[in-house]
Amino acid sequence: MKEVVVHPERCVGCMQCMIACATAHSKAKSLFAATLESPLPKPRVHVGVGQYDEGFPNRCRHCDPAPCLLACLPGAISRDLSTNTVLIDPDRCINCATCAMVCPFGVLRYHEEGSAPPGKTVAVKCDNCIGRQEAGLAPACVEVCKSGALTFEELSEAMRRKTNEISRTVSVAAEPQDLSPGFSLLNTMKKSLIQVRTG
Amino acid sequence: MAYVIIGNGVAGVSAAESIRQLDRDGRIVMIGDETEIPYCRPMISLVLEGAIPADRLTMRADNFYETMGIEPVLGRRVDAIDVAQKTVRVGGDTEIPYTKLLIASGADPRPITADGLNLKNIFFMRTQAQVRDMLQVLPDARRALVLGGGLVGFKAAYGLLRRGLNVTMLIRSGYPLSMQADETAGGIILQELRRKGLDVKVGTEAVAFGGNGAVREAHLFDGDRTPCDMVVIGKGVLPALSFVPRERIEIDLGIVIDRHMRTSAEDVYAAGDVAEGVDVARKTRWVNAIWPEAVTQGRLAGINMAGRPVSGEGSLGRNVIRIFDLDILTGGVVTPPDNDGYDVFQTFDGSRNTYRKLVFQGDRLVGVVLVNDIEQGGVFLSVMSSKTPVTASREGLLSRKFNYKQLLK
């Protein structure tokens, strides 16, 4: 099973994932038509800024066990085992915000949604683009990400690669090496700009 | 193996499910005072309000007991526990033996002392049945009186207001939700409630009720009288533990539990509103009678009863509630005692009506109050639960741009 893996050190904060996500969850599935829809489609991945303006694509981790799933009052949250996705049923959701209270990552938002009953405010979060996956497509945020901050791959494969990368850097003989020098440079520049500005 | 679970609320249900995951064959007996299929207690006010039908309250399928292989003993309260003989007595003479016992009997509404409590149309709001009774009198009711400005009192008032009644709320303290919110948030809430037509009287209490058969008026502490044709009492809850042998099982306010949900008696566990564990923010024993805690404790109790020693990190008092156009999320120590090593950071934005307050003890976050912009509240609460030191700038935490990344390097 492929899953979305986040590589925060590679995020430049361009927010294209947010646009792609909102579009993927629109009725029209095209950006320009989506902007005319009501309710306006909204992203379910949220690019936040760090202390030094670094970007960070914050999306649902689909935790297991998931605190939101356990705490949901009306039992509106469930897990799809085939894609390991924590899903919210907008019809059962009562907009009580208990999920926001227990989510350690702050990924929930509350608004009207194209897939919810009309006029109803519901909890909304990443659904791993489960519809796109059924059609053989990768989640929209991954597809659009240009910097490799979001990948869609077997978790075991991603972990093996990361383990190898780390193990090459920890030996006493190894030169200290930056695994993503371009991104580190960008983030260093952002940090110095802020430090210059704030003294 | 015979597991006996006292209580069919969410703590008991979560425990039963965890046990069944790990032990397919053990006997599970569930004793419940309420006869309905396990339902979601915090949602009963939505039925009062008319937002959902009663059949939406169930939290598990109709055949829950059969599919989980549970023997339900419903409609009866436990009389006594014999810790030496390892039995539970129900309904006078039925003795149910246990190998492992879970007490998840929950809580009962805190009773009040006042004259005329025997009059009709005076309600507690704790169970589905009580809400059903309230719905019966709604068509003829015009003026409702709600005692208490806590979560239950508030939810009752909100529901009755939405049903078109004139509602008066009596609060003994100076502002609503005084157990959950600080004074500033309480003031904002009070203003919002009044703006939406709720008559709120603070600093007062009802001392007697008058009427001929059914309640017609309430006599207040200060001599005032308020007409009303129904009353809802929401003065908090107390752990339901009248059947627990105090000389054998340690009780403070609730049943004292350790990190494995064990009580002081061997093979007896407790979870949910009846249990008293350690509160991570207050750093002392505390009963946190809230739904998510009941789920967590029930689950942990079940896993431990089935023989896997798993420990919890302690509980954290927290609540989220939407009040008309206000969203309120609070947790931990919201009003720290003066000069006691606490640092308070707060910000108020009048134009957006947002208020954010963070209480620190050194580099540990121990309290949070959010009025509106509550989406990141869980991040703060999770940092509190895990006792993670917070070095990020306090201004950044108070900013509406705050997000998870601000806590990372």
Side-chain angles (χ1 to χ4, degrees):
Chain A
M1 185 204 314
K2 286 187 176 179
E3 290 179 69
V4 176
V5 183
V6 180
H7 312 272
E9 71 283 0
R10 299 178 74 87
C11 178
V12 297
C14 70
M15 300 195 242
Q16 291 201 42
C17 51
M18 296 175 68
I19 300 282
C21 177
T23 308
H25 292 92
S26 69
K27 290 195 182 79
K29 313 288 181 206
S30 90
L31 176 60
F32 295 105
T35 59
L36 303 172
E37 285 176 18
S38 175
L40 192 66
K42 292 187 177 170
R44 297 160 178 223
V45 54
H46 310 281
V47 174
V49 292
Q51 295 187 46
Y52 301 109
D53 280 358
E54 325 90 296
F56 181 74
N58 197 18
R59 70 194 281 292
C60 174
R61 273 62 161 182
H62 303 277
C63 313
D64 192 6
C68 60
L69 191 158
L70 289 173
C72 179
L73 298 183
I77 306 185
S78 62
R79 182 182 300 276
D80 175 75
L81 294 172
S82 67
T83 57
N84 193 28
T85 302
V86 175
L87 291 170
I88 304 177
D89 176 353
D91 187 38
R92 284 195 82 88
C93 174
I94 57 166
N95 184 32
C96 65
T98 300
C99 44
M101 182 174 81
V102 299
C103 175
F105 304 109
V107 299
L108 284 132
R109 298 293 181 275
Y110 301 87
H111 49 77
E112 288 185 36
E113 230 282 320
S115 61
K120 185 180 178 187
T121 297
V122 293
V124 181
K125 68 162 198 69
C126 168
D127 62 355
N128 271 336
C129 279
I130 199 160
R132 286 175 57 96
Q133 285 199 48
E134 277 164 15
L137 297 167
C141 56
V142 175
E143 190 183 76
V144 80
C145 183
K146 311 287 190 294
S147 64
L150 297 165
T151 56
F152 188 52
E153 52 189 322
E154 294 290 336
L155 213 51
S156 54
E157 180 64 28
M159 283 173 77
R160 195 163 56 84
R161 200 179 60 244
K162 198 77 186 169
T163 307
N164 288 343
E165 283 174 0
I166 301 281
S167 63
R168 278 200 295 276
T169 65
V170 293
S171 144
V172 278
E175 290 286 314
Q177 58 170 296
D178 196 327
L179 296 172
S180 44
F183 296 98
S184 302
L185 179 63
L186 177 70
N187 283 333
T188 309
M189 282 166 60
K190 284 181 178 173
K191 186 171 179 175
S192 353
L193 274 174
I194 286 187
Q195 282 168 339
V196 167
R197 204 160 59 217
T198 58
Chain B
M1 205 61 169
Y3 305 93
V4 174
I5 298 173
I6 302 173
N8 60 348
V10 73
V13 166
S14 303
E17 288 175 337
S18 296
I19 291 170
R20 200 39 99 214
Q21 264 181 9
L22 299 169
D23 183 347
R24 286 176 57 187
D25 309 315
R27 180 184 188 211
I28 303 179
V29 180
M30 253 178 122
I31 306 163
D33 176 30
E34 294 181 77
T35 51
E36 289 94 351
I37 300 152
Y39 66 91
C40 181
R41 190 173 309 288
M43 280 169 59
I44 58 173
S45 63
L46 296 178
V47 176
L48 177 68
E49 182 191 329
I52 60 164
D55 60 16
R56 277 274 177 122
L57 286 179
T58 54
M59 58 168 157
R60 295 296 183 269
D62 294 1
N63 56 359
F64 168 74
Y65 296 114
E66 294 132 66
T67 53
M68 298 298 292
I70 295 168
E71 297 168 40
V73 178
L74 303 181
R76 287 192 279 180
R77 286 205 163 196
V78 170
D79 300 320
I81 300 170
D82 188 331
V83 175
Q85 297 296 319
K86 297 182 94 169
T87 57
V88 173
R89 196 173 79 235
V90 186
D93 53 357
T94 313
E95 301 272 355
I96 304 173
Y98 67 82
T99 328
K100 304 272 183 186
L101 173 68
L102 174 66
I103 306 173
S105 45
D108 289 321
R110 186 191 295 270
I112 62 165
T113 43
D115 292 331
L117 281 173
N118 54 338
L119 291 169
K120 270 200 266 186
N121 303 345
I122 298 180
F123 302 96
F124 288 109
M125 193 172 81
R126 177 73 184 167
T127 64
Q128 203 177 334
Q130 286 161 347
V131 167
R132 267 201 303 271
D133 293 344
M134 288 165 78
L135 288 176
Q136 299 262 308
V137 308
L138 273 192
D140 301 317
R142 294 284 168 274
R143 305 187 64 91
L145 184 68
V146 173
L147 311 183
L151 286 166
V152 169
F154 162 75
K155 285 165 128 184
Y158 185 82
L160 294 168
L161 215 53
R162 296 284 294 246
R163 290 279 187 177
L165 273 71
N166 291 315
V167 184
T168 300
M169 182 187 257
L170 304 184
I171 309 177
R172 192 172 53 185
S173 54
Y175 55 89
L177 298 180
S178 61
M179 295 298 284
Q180 288 83 22
D182 69 334
E183 197 174 346
T184 309
I188 299 172
I189 297 165
L190 185 57
Q191 207 179 10
E192 173 77 359
L193 290 175
R194 286 182 167 152
R195 203 164 62 82
K196 296 288 180 178
L198 186 70
D199 175 25
V200 184
K201 290 184 164 69
V202 296
T204 188
E205 272 188 292
V207 292
F209 300 98
N212 184 12
V215 67
R216 281 283 165 264
E217 62 172 7
H219 303 209
L220 308 190
F221 173 71
D222 51 16
D224 265 7
R225 290 179 179 211
T226 298
C228 55
D229 35 31
M230 71 183 288
V231 175
V232 184
I233 304 169
K235 304 293 273 183
V237 294
L238 290 171
L241 36 68
S242 56
F243 58 90
V244 179
R246 288 174 177 264
E247 68 289 354
R248 302 302 297 268
I249 298 177
E250 192 190 350
I251 290 173
D252 182 36
L253 175 64
I255 299 172
V256 176
I257 53 167
D258 68 7
R259 289 161 64 93
H260 296 270
M261 311 295 120
R262 289 180 298 216
T263 69
S264 61
E266 205 176 339
D267 296 325
V268 182
Y269 299 72
D273 292 2
V274 78
E276 179 176 320
V278 170
D279 181 296
V280 292
R282 293 189 166 87
K283 298 181 187 66
T284 176
R285 290 195 316 217
W286 202 266
V287 178
N288 281 316
I290 55 173
W291 174 273
E293 208 55 66
V295 176
T296 306
Q297 291 180 4
R299 206 169 151 266
L300 277 173
I303 295 170
N304 280 283
M305 289 164 76
R308 314 252 179 138
V310 177
S311 69
E313 57 197 6
S315 71
L316 176 63
R318 56 207 196 277
N319 278 287
V320 62
I321 188 164
R322 298 192 191 271
I323 302 175
F324 296 105
D325 299 332
L326 286 181
D327 301 331
I328 318 285
L329 187 145
T330 67
V333 182
V334 296
T335 310
D338 292 336
N339 310 321
D340 209 18
Y342 292 95
D343 299 309
V344 176
F345 302 89
Q346 52 194 345
T347 176
F348 175 74
D349 179 349
S351 64
R352 302 181 58 249
N353 207 20
T354 59
Y355 169 61
R356 186 169 282 199
K357 173 179 181 176
L358 300 171
V359 181
F360 278 89
Q361 238 179 349
D363 58 5
R364 301 292 162 88
L365 182 64
V366 295
V368 58
V369 181
L370 305 179
V371 177
N372 292 331
D373 286 352
I374 59 165
E375 287 89 349
Q376 302 303 315
V379 181
F380 291 125
L381 293 168
S382 135
V383 162
M384 284 162 68
S385 298
S386 60
K387 300 175 192 152
T388 309
V390 180
T391 53
S393 88
R394 305 303 184 239
E395 294 74 39
L397 301 178
L398 290 175
S399 154
R400 59 184 287 215
K401 284 201 304 187
F402 170 75
N403 71 96
Y404 182 75
K405 174 66 176 169
Q406 307 244 323
L407 297 173
L408 303 180
K409 263 191 184 159

